[in-house]
């Protein structure tokens, strides 16, 4: 476990606690309403603990990005949070101006206030150090009103943004329960995983997978990589397989042709440890058709791993003691092509190995397949999860460690 403090290390009773959560949620582009309250429910646990302990709770969060359709105020999030907590939750459409400050001063122990979307501040998303962000109006105005900063938004921990790191430079700062649970779950898989340890990598972010493969194979964390999705396409291409014109075009369109040389190098160095599909499924007139890799190229789009590959992957899953899953193995939105993902992830769910999953699409597909509850842990994070698997230092984690050093006697 990294050296940061948690809610177990502080007394919050009667204190004003600024808690940065990540309740960034899918928003209906037409109605602008919140479509899924998963993240709000999750952070409600941390907020409830603070409420129960008699803290004055100030919630800081973002929603969407300026200019995008999901960039909306946090008013509805505050209402949803109130319903989940079953206590009135106040909301002010101001982040750090006079009205926000007055609302914070008026809070009583056990009350909750949600501030406006922090990304309405033009400097919020600037990539700066904790000390630099401590000079922003956000931190200068709000820190003097608070006794403690709680960072709970693991899924935004990879952003060196003002509300993520700024307060840690000037306030006692600890990790909230979500942050703590995420880091525990991830370090269990990455720090000393029970062996054999396999990583199942799929989805479309193959360029990120280059970093993951490098990190987990070089460090001896993973014994085997099982590839699918576009990661599988790239590895097949790197092996010299002609995957066919439409499939090469998909790689080019996703900017993935450039990662072929890296993958080639991995295949040479770690031959035995990188499993590439032996067969695939293509779409012909809306139907699924199995094609052996030896029969490629194909003029049809590859949308899934094939039956032989599923069998081989499931066998490896059954023998593993730790399994990390990032990215679906096929185009799961199309019913005939969810099979690879449902079969292999289903085997992970049945296994009694430690199973960790993450990445935006992965959590969604697990929920869709009813497998979510059967994994040991499913991360709420997309980008932060992937950066963690790449061995990158996350700014929020580093900031909490620095804060802990200052807080220790
Ligand atoms: C997410 O949903 O990925 C996090 O909330 C971070 O959002 P961002 O990618 O817009 O920084
Ligand atoms: Mg994101």
């Amino acid at each position: 476990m990294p050296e940061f403090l948690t809610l177990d290390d502080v007394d919050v009773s009667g204190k004003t606690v600024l808690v940065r959560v990540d309740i960034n949620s899918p928003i209906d582009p037409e109605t602008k309403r919140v479509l899924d309250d998963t993240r709000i429910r999750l952070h409600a646990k941390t907020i409830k603990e603070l409420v129960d302990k008699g803290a004055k709770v100030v919630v800081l969060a973002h929603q969407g990005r300026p200019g995008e359709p999901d960039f909306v105020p946090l008013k509805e999030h505050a209402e949803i949070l109130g319903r989940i907590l079953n206590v009135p939750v106040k909301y002010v459409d101001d982040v750090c101006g006079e009205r926000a400050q007055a609302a914070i001063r008026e809070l009583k122990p056990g009350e909750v206030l949600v501030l406006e979307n922090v990304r309405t501040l033009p400097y919020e998303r600037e990539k700066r150090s904790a000390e630099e962000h401590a000079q922003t109006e956000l931190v200068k105005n709000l820190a003097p009103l608070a006794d403690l900063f709680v960072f709970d938004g693991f899924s935004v921990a990879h952003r060196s943004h003002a509300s993520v790191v700024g307060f840690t430079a000037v306030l006692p700062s600890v990790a909230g329960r979500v942050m703590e649970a995420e880091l525990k779950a991830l370090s269990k898989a990455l720090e000393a995983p029970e062996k054999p340890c396999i990583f199942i990598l799929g989805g479309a972010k193959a360029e990120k997978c280059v970093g993951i493969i490098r990190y987990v194979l070089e460090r001896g964390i993973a014994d085997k990589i099982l590839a699918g999705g576009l990661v599988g396409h790239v590895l097949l291409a790197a092996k010299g397989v002609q995957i066919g014109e439409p499939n090469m075009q998909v790689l080019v369109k996703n900017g993935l042709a450039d990662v072929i040389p890296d993958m080639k190098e991995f295949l040479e160095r770690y031959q035995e440890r990188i499993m590439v599909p032996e067969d695939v499924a293509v779409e012909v007139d809306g139907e699924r058709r199995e094609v052996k890799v030896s029969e490629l190229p194909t003029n049809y789009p590859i949308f899934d791993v094939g039956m032989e590959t599923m069998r081989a992957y499931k066998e490896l899953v059954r023998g593993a003691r730790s399994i990390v899953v990032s990215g679906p193995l096929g185009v799961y939105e199309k019913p005939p092509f969810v099979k690879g993902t449902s079969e292999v992830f289903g085997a992970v769910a049945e296994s009694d190995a430690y199973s960790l999953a993450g990445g935006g699409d992965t959590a969604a597909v697990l929920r869709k397949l009813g497998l979510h509850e059967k994994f040991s842990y499913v991360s709420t994070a997309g980008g932060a999860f992937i950066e963690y698997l790449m061995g990158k230092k996350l700014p929020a984690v580093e900031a909490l460690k620095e804060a802990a050093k200052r807080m220790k006697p």
Side-chain angles (χ1 to χ4, degrees):
M1 257 317 253
E3 325 73 85
F4 54 81
L5 301 180
T6 70
L7 287 177
D8 293 326
D9 301 299
V10 284
D11 175 13
V12 299
S13 168
K15 306 269 170 67
T16 301
V17 178
L18 208 51
V19 50
R20 171 56 158 114
V21 296
D22 186 357
I23 48 176
N24 186 30
S25 305
I27 299 290
D28 185 315
E30 301 293 321
T31 65
K32 302 288 175 190
R33 309 241 354 186
V34 172
L35 288 171
D36 179 294
D37 64 2
T38 306
R39 282 183 172 177
I40 307 178
R41 284 187 181 282
L42 205 74
H43 287 286
K45 291 184 192 148
T46 302
I47 296 168
K48 173 140 189 356
E49 180 175 339
L50 293 168
V51 166
D52 290 346
K53 288 179 170 172
K56 304 172 191 174
V57 188
V58 183
V59 179
L60 199 56
H62 75 277
Q63 173 60 55
R65 299 175 189 170
E68 293 187 10
D70 62 345
F71 181 60
V72 299
L74 292 178
K75 186 163 185 284
E76 192 193 355
H77 301 62
E79 288 162 11
I80 296 171
L81 179 63
R83 283 199 292 277
I84 295 168
L85 293 174
N86 206 14
V87 298
V89 167
K90 299 180 176 179
Y91 168 76
V92 58
D93 62 346
D94 182 21
V95 187
C96 60
E98 302 270 328
R99 283 174 306 117
Q101 294 174 44
I104 295 172
R105 284 198 192 90
E106 280 163 22
L107 278 178
K108 305 212 171 45
E111 289 188 343
V112 183
L113 168 72
V114 175
L115 301 174
E116 172 55 307
N117 185 348
V118 71
R119 289 190 178 173
T120 55
L121 301 176
Y123 48 82
E124 161 65 5
R125 288 165 72 237
E126 284 173 9
K127 202 172 156 187
R128 303 236 188 281
S129 68
E131 289 69 26
E132 285 164 338
H133 273 314
Q135 299 307 316
T136 56
E137 208 169 79
L138 171 71
V139 178
K140 284 189 153 173
N141 289 358
L142 300 191
L145 303 177
D147 301 294
L148 177 72
F149 178 67
V150 175
F151 183 80
D152 209 28
F154 176 73
S155 41
V156 71
H158 58 317
R159 308 277 185 222
S160 203
H161 292 173
S163 65
V164 173
V165 297
F167 292 99
T168 64
V170 293
L171 280 177
S173 302
V174 304
R177 296 303 183 200
V178 175
M179 181 71 174
E180 187 186 350
E182 291 271 5
L183 291 173
K184 260 192 199 147
L186 270 70
S187 63
K188 188 166 170 171
L190 273 281
E191 270 162 31
E194 213 182 308
K195 298 294 190 128
C197 171
I198 61 173
F199 272 57
I200 304 177
L201 302 180
K205 291 186 179 147
E207 76 288 0
K208 302 275 184 189
C209 288
V210 171
I212 299 177
I213 296 173
R214 178 176 290 122
Y215 184 67
V216 301
L217 288 184
E218 267 174 11
R219 300 284 177 117
I221 297 167
D223 298 297
K224 279 203 172 15
I225 304 280
L226 280 49
L230 292 190
V231 188
H233 281 46
V234 180
L235 280 163
L236 286 172
K239 250 183 138 176
V241 173
Q242 303 292 324
I243 57 175
E245 193 46 38
N247 300 302
M248 266 320 279
Q249 272 172 18
V250 171
L251 292 191
V252 172
K253 209 179 89 203
N254 284 278
L256 295 175
D258 300 347
V259 305
I260 294 175
D262 281 319
M263 294 290 196
K264 208 170 187 162
E265 187 201 315
F266 293 152
L267 286 168
E268 280 159 12
R269 266 168 61 203
Y270 304 108
Q271 273 195 44
E272 307 287 302
R273 293 168 66 191
I274 302 180
M275 314 309 290
V276 174
E278 27 187 308
D279 58 353
V280 294
V282 297
E283 184 178 59
V284 184
D285 300 328
E287 308 236 329
R288 178 181 177 108
R289 188 181 292 172
E290 305 284 322
V291 179
K292 289 195 179 67
V293 163
S294 57
E295 295 165 353
L296 291 174
T298 174
N299 283 324
Y300 298 105
I302 300 172
F303 282 159
D304 196 10
V305 295
M307 304 292 265
E308 286 307 315
T309 306
M310 283 176 224
R311 251 192 286 277
Y313 284 8
K314 281 161 72 175
E315 205 48 48
L316 289 165
V317 164
R318 284 188 203 107
R321 296 301 309 148
S322 310
I323 307 165
V324 178
V325 171
S326 175
L329 296 180
V331 181
Y332 69 89
E333 298 89 340
K334 289 178 180 270
F337 302 97
V338 73
K339 196 166 178 59
T341 304
S342 70
E343 289 282 318
V344 178
F345 289 11
V348 178
E350 292 312 317
S351 145
D352 57 10
Y354 179 70
S355 51
L356 169 71
D361 270 356
T362 311
V365 75
L366 288 178
R367 219 168 272 123
K368 179 172 166 165
L369 295 170
L371 300 174
H372 198 276
E373 305 305 321
K374 296 183 182 158
F375 272 61
S376 307
Y377 192 84
V378 180
S379 176
T380 48
F385 179 79
I386 288 173
E387 291 201 12
Y388 192 98
L389 298 189
M390 291 165 82
K392 285 201 183 174
K393 286 192 187 318
L394 303 180
V397 176
E398 298 310 304
L400 286 177
K401 285 190 201 168
E402 284 306 312
K405 279 189 213 156
R406 282 194 298 272
M407 288 164 71
K408 278 190 181 139

